[in-house]
C-alpha cells in the first residue's frame, strides 16, 4: 500500500512538473507573440527623413508605420497605442504629438502643443502622459485628448525624459544645471521630484575622475522604470563605453545593469518585465541595431540588419 501510494505521488509530481513546464513555455510564447517593438529609423540622411518602424520580437515583419517625408520619432507606446512626434503639420523639427497602432492604422493628432524631442511616460492606466513642451524646462501632464491637466516645475534650467514612478506620485528626470550642454556647468544627472515639483533629490553621480563622456556624451541618459522590480535604468558613457546602469528609486543602490560587448543606448522594458529592448552600436557609431534581451536568461538577440544605419529608441507595444 505504501509503495503504491508513493508511486502515485511521484506520478502526480511528474505530471504537475510537466504541466508547469508546458504552461511556462506557453506563457513565454504568449509574451513573445503579444508584443511588437517600435523603433526609429533614419530612412534618408540627405533629406533628414526619420520614420517609425515596427517589428515582431523575433525581428520579422518589419514595417514603416509612418512613411512621411519629415521627422517622426516614437518614444512611448501605451497598451496598443503608439505615440509619436512629427513635424508634418508644422515647421522643420517643430513637433506635435500623434497616435496610431502598431501597424500604422488611423493616425490622428493628440495635441496642438509644440513639444521638445524628449521621451515620455504615462500613468493612470495610460489616461495621462507627461511630455516636455518646446523651449521649456517644465513638464506638462496631458490627457490623450491633448488637454493639459497640470504643469510640473522642476526647478532646473534643463529637464528632459520624465518617467513616472511610485504609481505616478513622483517623476524621475534627466536634468542639467545650465540650459544646454553648450553652456559650461551642465552637469547632467538623474533627479527625482514629487508630482508637484517639490522635494528634488539627485539620484546619480557621474564618476568625478571619468572624462570619457566628454562634453556631449550621456553621463546619465534617458531613465526607464523596470515595471516589476521597481528600479531605474539609464545609459551612461563610462570608461570609454556606453553601458546600461541602474539605481534604486531612493538613490541608495547603484549597479551596472548589463555586460554586453556592444555600446548600449536608449532602451525599454516590456510591461511584464521579461524583455529588454536595447539600442546597440559600435564605438565609431557606424551602425546602430536593435537588440532584445531575455531578462531571465540574459540571452541577447540582434533583431535588425544593415539596411539602415540608424535604428534607435526601441519601445514595446501590445499587438492585441
Amino acid at each position: 500500500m505504501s509503495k503504491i501510494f508513493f508511486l502515485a505521488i511521484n506520478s502526480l509530481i511528474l505530471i504537475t512538473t510537466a504541466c508547469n513546464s508546458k504552461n511556462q513555455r506557453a506563457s513565454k510564447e504568449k509574451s513573445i507573440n503579444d508584443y511588437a517593438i517600435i523603433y526609429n529609423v533614419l530612412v534618408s540622411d540627405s533629406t533628414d527623413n526619420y520614420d517609425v518602424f515596427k517589428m515582431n520580437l523575433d525581428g520579422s515583419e518589419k514595417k514603416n508605420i509612418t512613411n512621411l517625408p519629415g521627422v517622426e520619432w516614437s518614444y512611448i507606446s501605451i497598451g496598443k497605442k503608439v505615440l509619436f512626434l512629427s513635424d508634418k503639420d508644422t515647421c522643420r523639427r517643430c513637433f506635435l504629438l500623434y497616435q496610431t497602432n502598431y501597424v500604422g492604422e488611423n493616425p490622428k493628432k493628440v495635441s496642438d502643443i509644440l513639444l521638445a524631442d524628449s521621451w515620455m511616460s504615462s500613468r493612470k492606466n495610460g489616461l495621462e502622459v507627461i511630455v516636455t513642451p518646446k523651449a521649456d524646462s517644465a513638464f506638462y501632464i496631458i490627457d490623450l485628448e491633448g488637454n493639459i491637466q497640470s504643469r510640473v516645475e522642476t526647478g532646473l534650467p534643463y529637464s528632459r525624459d520624465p518617467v513616472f514612478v511610485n504609481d505616478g506620485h513622483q517623476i524621475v528626470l534627466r536634468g542639467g544645471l545650465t540650459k544646454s550642454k553648450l553652456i559650461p556647468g551642465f552637469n547632467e544627472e538623474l533627479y527625482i521630484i514629487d508630482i508637484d515639483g517639490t522635494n528634488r533629490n539627485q539620484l546619480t553621480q557621474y564618476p568625478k575622475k571619468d572624462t570619457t563622456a566628454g562634453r556631449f556624451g550621456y553621463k546619465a541618459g534617458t531613465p526607464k522604470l523596470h515595471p516589476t522590480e521597481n528600479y531605474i535604468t539609464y545609459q551612461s558613457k563610462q570608461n570609454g563605453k556606453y553601458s546600461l546602469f541602474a539605481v534604486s528609486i531612493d538613490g541608495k543602490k547603484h549597479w551596472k545593469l548589463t555586460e554586453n560587448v556592444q555600446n548600449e543606448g536608449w532602451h525599454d522594458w516590456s510591461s511584464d518585465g521579461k524583455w529588454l529592448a536595447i539600442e546597440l552600436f559600435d564605438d565609431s557609431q557606424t551602425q546602430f541595431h536593435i537588440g532584445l534581451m531575455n531578462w531571465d536568461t540574459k540571452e541577447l538577440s540582434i533583431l535588425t540588419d544593415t539596411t539602415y544605419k540608424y535604428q534607435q529608441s526601441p519601445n514595446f507595444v501590445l499587438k492585441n
Side-chain angles (χ1 to χ4, degrees), residues 136-139 151-156 159 193-198:
D136 200 339
S137 63
F139 300 128
R151 176 185 170 96
V152 182
E153 300 285 351
T154 69
L156 292 167
S159 303
I193 58 174
D194 290 345
I195 199 64
D196 61 359
T198 61

Side-chain angles (χ1 to χ4, degrees), residues 1 21-23 29-30 48 66 70 78 100 103 127 135 159 168 173-174 176 192 205 215 227 243 274 276:
M1 183 70 177
S21 177
K22 183 178 180 180
N23 288 338
E29 290 302 317
K30 184 177 186 298
D48 192 33
T66 52
I78 303 171
T100 184
V103 291
L127 295 177
S159 303
L173 61 114
R174 180 171 65 91
I192 186 169
Q205 180 65 58
R215 190 171 185 178
S243 299
K274 294 180 179 179
L276 173 62

Side-chain angles (χ1 to χ4, degrees), residues 1 16 67 100 145 147 153 175 177 194 196 227 246 248 312 320:
M1 183 70 177
T16 302
N67 202 22
T100 184
E145 300 300 321
N147 302 306
E153 300 285 351
L177 300 182
D194 290 345
D196 61 359
S248 58
Q312 301 177 282
N320 303 300

Side-chain angles (χ1 to χ4, degrees), residues 50-200:
Y50 284 85
D51 275 308
V52 179
F53 280 55
K54 70 90 179 176
M55 63 181 165
N56 293 330
L57 265 62
D58 62 0
S60 65
E61 299 184 7
K62 295 179 177 68
K63 179 186 177 183
N64 185 336
I65 67 169
T66 52
N67 202 22
L68 294 165
V71 176
E72 279 71 44
W73 284 322
S74 177
Y75 294 125
I76 182 176
S77 295
I78 303 171
K80 296 184 290 184
K81 299 182 180 71
V82 177
L83 272 60
F84 64 95
L85 298 174
S86 175
D87 62 3
K88 71 185 186 72
D89 295 323
T90 55
C91 57
R92 180 180 177 275
R93 299 208 174 194
C94 301
F95 298 117
L96 300 180
L97 185 63
Y98 299 80
Q99 77 171 47
T100 184
N101 64 9
Y102 86 102
V103 291
E105 295 172 331
N106 304 315
K108 69 172 187 178
K109 184 166 60 175
V110 173
S111 169
D112 286 315
I113 304 167
L114 284 178
L115 298 179
D117 176 17
S118 172
W119 286 68
M120 309 167 196
S121 179
S122 68
R123 68 173 185 176
K124 297 184 178 179
N125 294 318
L127 295 177
E128 293 184 347
V129 182
I130 185 166
V131 298
T132 308
K134 187 176 177 64
D136 200 339
S137 63
F139 300 128
Y140 290 167
I141 297 176
I142 65 173
D143 62 25
L144 291 183
E145 300 300 321
N147 302 306
I148 298 175
Q149 304 300 302
S150 61
R151 176 185 170 96
V152 182
E153 300 285 351
T154 69
L156 292 167
Y158 180 94
S159 303
R160 290 290 188 276
D161 306 329
V163 57
F164 285 120
V165 298
N166 292 331
D167 295 323
H169 296 296
Q170 290 183 299
I171 301 163
V172 173
L173 61 114
R174 180 171 65 91
L177 300 182
T178 62
K179 290 184 178 181
S180 165
K181 289 186 177 184
L182 295 171
I183 303 173
F186 186 74
N187 295 335
E188 173 184 71
E189 298 290 354
L190 298 186
Y191 296 84
I192 186 169
I193 58 174
D194 290 345
I195 199 64
D196 61 359
T198 61
N199 297 320
R200 186 178 75 244

Side-chain angles (χ1 to χ4, degrees), residues 237 240-242 261-263 281-287:
K237 188 172 186 180
K241 177 183 176 294
Y242 276 108
V261 174
Q262 304 96 326
N263 286 275
F281 52 96
D282 58 282
D283 289 341
S284 300
Q285 300 190 18
T286 58
Q287 181 65 54

